PDB file of all heavy atoms in Angstrom:
ATOM      1  N   GLY A  51      23.306 -29.267   6.377  1.00 96.00           N
ATOM      2  CA  GLY A  51      22.839 -28.520   5.143  1.00 96.00           C
ATOM      3  C   GLY A  51      21.732 -27.602   5.314  1.00 96.00           C
ATOM      4  O   GLY A  51      21.265 -27.477   6.404  1.00 96.00           O
ATOM      5  N   ALA A  52      21.585 -26.859   4.261  1.00 96.00           N
ATOM      6  CA  ALA A  52      20.327 -25.951   4.267  1.00 96.00           C
ATOM      7  C   ALA A  52      19.113 -26.633   3.866  1.00 96.00           C
ATOM      8  O   ALA A  52      19.105 -27.392   2.843  1.00 96.00           O
ATOM      9  CB  ALA A  52      20.572 -24.755   3.429  1.00 96.00           C
ATOM     10  N   ALA A  53      17.985 -26.506   4.540  1.00 93.00           N
ATOM     11  CA  ALA A  53      16.852 -27.503   4.331  1.00 93.00           C
ATOM     12  C   ALA A  53      15.411 -26.858   4.381  1.00 93.00           C
ATOM     13  O   ALA A  53      14.497 -27.644   4.542  1.00 93.00           O
ATOM     14  CB  ALA A  53      16.968 -28.668   5.341  1.00 93.00           C
ATOM     15  N   ARG A  54      15.373 -25.669   4.054  1.00 92.00           N
ATOM     16  CA  ARG A  54      13.929 -25.033   4.041  1.00 92.00           C
ATOM     17  C   ARG A  54      13.508 -24.779   2.798  1.00 92.00           C
ATOM     18  O   ARG A  54      14.119 -24.013   2.060  1.00 92.00           O
ATOM     19  CB  ARG A  54      13.889 -23.825   4.991  1.00 92.00           C
ATOM     20  CG  ARG A  54      14.123 -24.084   6.398  1.00 92.00           C
ATOM     21  CD  ARG A  54      13.860 -22.948   7.324  1.00 92.00           C
ATOM     22  NE  ARG A  54      13.960 -23.214   8.771  1.00 92.00           N
ATOM     23  CZ  ARG A  54      13.045 -23.710   9.548  1.00 92.00           C
ATOM     24  NH1 ARG A  54      11.909 -24.002   8.978  1.00 92.00           N
ATOM     25  NH2 ARG A  54      13.257 -24.051  10.833  1.00 92.00           N
ATOM     26  N   VAL A  55      12.421 -25.370   2.268  1.00 92.00           N
ATOM     27  CA  VAL A  55      12.000 -25.346   0.932  1.00 92.00           C
ATOM     28  C   VAL A  55      11.671 -23.992   0.492  1.00 92.00           C
ATOM     29  O   VAL A  55      12.111 -23.416  -0.504  1.00 92.00           O
ATOM     30  CB  VAL A  55      10.840 -26.306   0.584  1.00 92.00           C
ATOM     31  CG1 VAL A  55      10.208 -26.018  -0.778  1.00 92.00           C
ATOM     32  CG2 VAL A  55      11.227 -27.717   0.765  1.00 92.00           C
ATOM     33  N   ARG A  56      10.860 -23.261   1.155  1.00 90.00           N
ATOM     34  CA  ARG A  56      10.387 -21.829   0.745  1.00 90.00           C
ATOM     35  C   ARG A  56      11.553 -20.938   0.853  1.00 90.00           C
ATOM     36  O   ARG A  56      11.649 -20.130   0.046  1.00 90.00           O
ATOM     37  CB  ARG A  56       9.235 -21.439   1.782  1.00 90.00           C
ATOM     38  CG  ARG A  56       7.993 -22.157   1.612  1.00 90.00           C
ATOM     39  CD  ARG A  56       6.858 -21.666   2.607  1.00 90.00           C
ATOM     40  NE  ARG A  56       5.600 -22.512   2.387  1.00 90.00           N
ATOM     41  CZ  ARG A  56       4.579 -22.339   3.126  1.00 90.00           C
ATOM     42  NH1 ARG A  56       4.524 -21.323   4.217  1.00 90.00           N
ATOM     43  NH2 ARG A  56       3.514 -23.150   2.919  1.00 90.00           N
ATOM     44  N   GLU A  57      12.346 -21.043   1.795  1.00 95.00           N
ATOM     45  CA  GLU A  57      13.600 -20.090   1.926  1.00 95.00           C
ATOM     46  C   GLU A  57      14.364 -20.342   0.746  1.00 95.00           C
ATOM     47  O   GLU A  57      15.055 -19.456   0.201  1.00 95.00           O
ATOM     48  CB  GLU A  57      14.324 -20.478   3.142  1.00 95.00           C
ATOM     49  CG  GLU A  57      15.671 -19.677   3.347  1.00 95.00           C
ATOM     50  CD  GLU A  57      16.409 -20.062   4.705  1.00 95.00           C
ATOM     51  OE1 GLU A  57      16.921 -21.076   4.584  1.00 95.00           O
ATOM     52  OE2 GLU A  57      16.279 -19.271   5.604  1.00 95.00           O
ATOM     53  N   SER A  58      14.566 -21.533   0.183  1.00 96.00           N
ATOM     54  CA  SER A  58      15.505 -21.795  -0.965  1.00 96.00           C
ATOM     55  C   SER A  58      15.027 -21.067  -2.162  1.00 96.00           C
ATOM     56  O   SER A  58      15.831 -20.646  -3.048  1.00 96.00           O
ATOM     57  CB  SER A  58      15.462 -23.294  -1.301  1.00 96.00           C
ATOM     58  OG  SER A  58      14.273 -23.799  -1.856  1.00 96.00           O
ATOM     59  N   PHE A  59      13.713 -20.676  -2.318  1.00 96.00           N
ATOM     60  CA  PHE A  59      13.389 -19.940  -3.543  1.00 96.00           C
ATOM     61  C   PHE A  59      13.710 -18.488  -3.383  1.00 96.00           C
ATOM     62  O   PHE A  59      14.054 -17.781  -4.443  1.00 96.00           O
ATOM     63  CB  PHE A  59      11.812 -19.908  -3.598  1.00 96.00           C
ATOM     64  CG  PHE A  59      11.181 -21.217  -4.059  1.00 96.00           C
ATOM     65  CD1 PHE A  59      10.735 -22.158  -3.323  1.00 96.00           C
ATOM     66  CD2 PHE A  59      11.112 -21.478  -5.484  1.00 96.00           C
ATOM     67  CE1 PHE A  59      10.148 -23.379  -3.636  1.00 96.00           C
ATOM     68  CE2 PHE A  59      10.617 -22.683  -6.080  1.00 96.00           C
ATOM     69  CZ  PHE A  59      10.110 -23.541  -5.081  1.00 96.00           C
ATOM     70  N   GLU A  60      14.039 -17.990  -2.134  1.00 96.00           N
ATOM     71  CA  GLU A  60      14.447 -16.602  -1.904  1.00 96.00           C
ATOM     72  C   GLU A  60      15.903 -16.645  -2.126  1.00 96.00           C
ATOM     73  O   GLU A  60      16.434 -15.527  -2.491  1.00 96.00           O
ATOM     74  CB  GLU A  60      14.067 -16.140  -0.511  1.00 96.00           C
ATOM     75  CG  GLU A  60      12.525 -16.235  -0.340  1.00 96.00           C
ATOM     76  CD  GLU A  60      12.177 -16.034   1.234  1.00 96.00           C
ATOM     77  OE1 GLU A  60      13.177 -15.853   2.032  1.00 96.00           O
ATOM     78  OE2 GLU A  60      11.030 -16.115   1.522  1.00 96.00           O
ATOM     79  N   ASP A  61      16.745 -17.513  -1.960  1.00 97.00           N
ATOM     80  CA  ASP A  61      18.099 -17.541  -2.016  1.00 97.00           C
ATOM     81  C   ASP A  61      18.677 -18.852  -2.465  1.00 97.00           C
ATOM     82  O   ASP A  61      19.379 -19.482  -1.690  1.00 97.00           O
ATOM     83  CB  ASP A  61      18.736 -17.171  -0.510  1.00 97.00           C
ATOM     84  CG  ASP A  61      20.200 -16.841  -0.570  1.00 97.00           C
ATOM     85  OD1 ASP A  61      20.705 -16.646  -1.719  1.00 97.00           O
ATOM     86  OD2 ASP A  61      20.805 -16.690   0.530  1.00 97.00           O
ATOM     87  N   PRO A  62      18.362 -19.085  -3.708  1.00 97.00           N
ATOM     88  CA  PRO A  62      18.869 -20.359  -4.230  1.00 97.00           C
ATOM     89  C   PRO A  62      20.443 -20.562  -4.332  1.00 97.00           C
ATOM     90  O   PRO A  62      20.866 -21.663  -4.119  1.00 97.00           O
ATOM     91  CB  PRO A  62      18.282 -20.452  -5.711  1.00 97.00           C
ATOM     92  CG  PRO A  62      18.025 -19.044  -6.089  1.00 97.00           C
ATOM     93  CD  PRO A  62      17.764 -18.221  -4.709  1.00 97.00           C
ATOM     94  N   LEU A  63      21.080 -19.375  -4.476  1.00 98.00           N
ATOM     95  CA  LEU A  63      22.573 -19.553  -4.588  1.00 98.00           C
ATOM     96  C   LEU A  63      23.132 -20.095  -3.302  1.00 98.00           C
ATOM     97  O   LEU A  63      24.039 -21.020  -3.400  1.00 98.00           O
ATOM     98  CB  LEU A  63      23.154 -18.324  -5.099  1.00 98.00           C
ATOM     99  CG  LEU A  63      22.753 -17.737  -6.437  1.00 98.00           C
ATOM    100  CD1 LEU A  63      23.405 -16.343  -6.776  1.00 98.00           C
ATOM    101  CD2 LEU A  63      22.972 -18.646  -7.514  1.00 98.00           C
ATOM    102  N   SER A  64      22.712 -19.669  -2.287  1.00 97.00           N
ATOM    103  CA  SER A  64      23.252 -20.059  -0.996  1.00 97.00           C
ATOM    104  C   SER A  64      23.022 -21.565  -0.699  1.00 97.00           C
ATOM    105  O   SER A  64      23.748 -22.264  -0.053  1.00 97.00           O
ATOM    106  CB  SER A  64      22.782 -19.174   0.169  1.00 97.00           C
ATOM    107  OG  SER A  64      21.453 -19.510   0.466  1.00 97.00           O
ATOM    108  N   TYR A  65      21.785 -22.119  -1.245  1.00 98.00           N
ATOM    109  CA  TYR A  65      21.411 -23.337  -1.010  1.00 98.00           C
ATOM    110  C   TYR A  65      22.419 -24.295  -1.861  1.00 98.00           C
ATOM    111  O   TYR A  65      22.886 -25.398  -1.423  1.00 98.00           O
ATOM    112  CB  TYR A  65      19.966 -23.673  -1.422  1.00 98.00           C
ATOM    113  CG  TYR A  65      19.090 -23.538  -0.289  1.00 98.00           C
ATOM    114  CD1 TYR A  65      18.904 -22.320   0.305  1.00 98.00           C
ATOM    115  CD2 TYR A  65      18.546 -24.603   0.399  1.00 98.00           C
ATOM    116  CE1 TYR A  65      18.102 -22.218   1.463  1.00 98.00           C
ATOM    117  CE2 TYR A  65      17.752 -24.590   1.370  1.00 98.00           C
ATOM    118  CZ  TYR A  65      17.558 -23.290   2.043  1.00 98.00           C
ATOM    119  OH  TYR A  65      16.868 -23.188   3.145  1.00 98.00           O
ATOM    120  N   PHE A  66      22.775 -23.923  -3.073  1.00 98.00           N
ATOM    121  CA  PHE A  66      23.662 -24.714  -3.903  1.00 98.00           C
ATOM    122  C   PHE A  66      24.997 -24.537  -3.289  1.00 98.00           C
ATOM    123  O   PHE A  66      25.827 -25.558  -3.182  1.00 98.00           O
ATOM    124  CB  PHE A  66      23.736 -24.257  -5.329  1.00 98.00           C
ATOM    125  CG  PHE A  66      22.657 -24.918  -6.017  1.00 98.00           C
ATOM    126  CD1 PHE A  66      21.167 -24.389  -6.090  1.00 98.00           C
ATOM    127  CD2 PHE A  66      22.851 -26.028  -6.900  1.00 98.00           C
ATOM    128  CE1 PHE A  66      20.207 -24.950  -6.831  1.00 98.00           C
ATOM    129  CE2 PHE A  66      21.827 -26.588  -7.635  1.00 98.00           C
ATOM    130  CZ  PHE A  66      20.554 -25.997  -7.557  1.00 98.00           C
ATOM    131  N   GLU A  67      25.389 -23.434  -2.853  1.00 97.00           N
ATOM    132  CA  GLU A  67      26.703 -23.218  -2.185  1.00 97.00           C
ATOM    133  C   GLU A  67      26.942 -24.083  -0.937  1.00 97.00           C
ATOM    134  O   GLU A  67      27.958 -24.753  -0.739  1.00 97.00           O
ATOM    135  CB  GLU A  67      26.901 -21.737  -1.791  1.00 97.00           C
ATOM    136  CG  GLU A  67      28.245 -21.408  -1.163  1.00 97.00           C
ATOM    137  CD  GLU A  67      28.538 -19.898  -0.881  1.00 97.00           C
ATOM    138  OE1 GLU A  67      27.497 -19.457  -0.259  1.00 97.00           O
ATOM    139  OE2 GLU A  67      29.489 -19.506  -1.154  1.00 97.00           O
ATOM    140  N   THR A  68      25.895 -24.276  -0.197  1.00 97.00           N
ATOM    141  CA  THR A  68      25.983 -25.033   1.134  1.00 97.00           C
ATOM    142  C   THR A  68      25.767 -26.480   0.829  1.00 97.00           C
ATOM    143  O   THR A  68      26.584 -27.362   1.275  1.00 97.00           O
ATOM    144  CB  THR A  68      24.859 -24.635   2.174  1.00 97.00           C
ATOM    145  OG1 THR A  68      25.084 -23.277   2.394  1.00 97.00           O
ATOM    146  CG2 THR A  68      24.999 -25.443   3.319  1.00 97.00           C
TER     147      THR A  68
END
Side-chain angles (χ1 to χ4, degrees):
R54 293 190 178 273
V55 172
R56 292 182 183 177
E57 181 184 73
S58 73
F59 285 97
E60 300 167 3
D61 192 6
L63 297 185
S64 71
Y65 269 70
F66 277 82
E67 182 177 45
T68 299

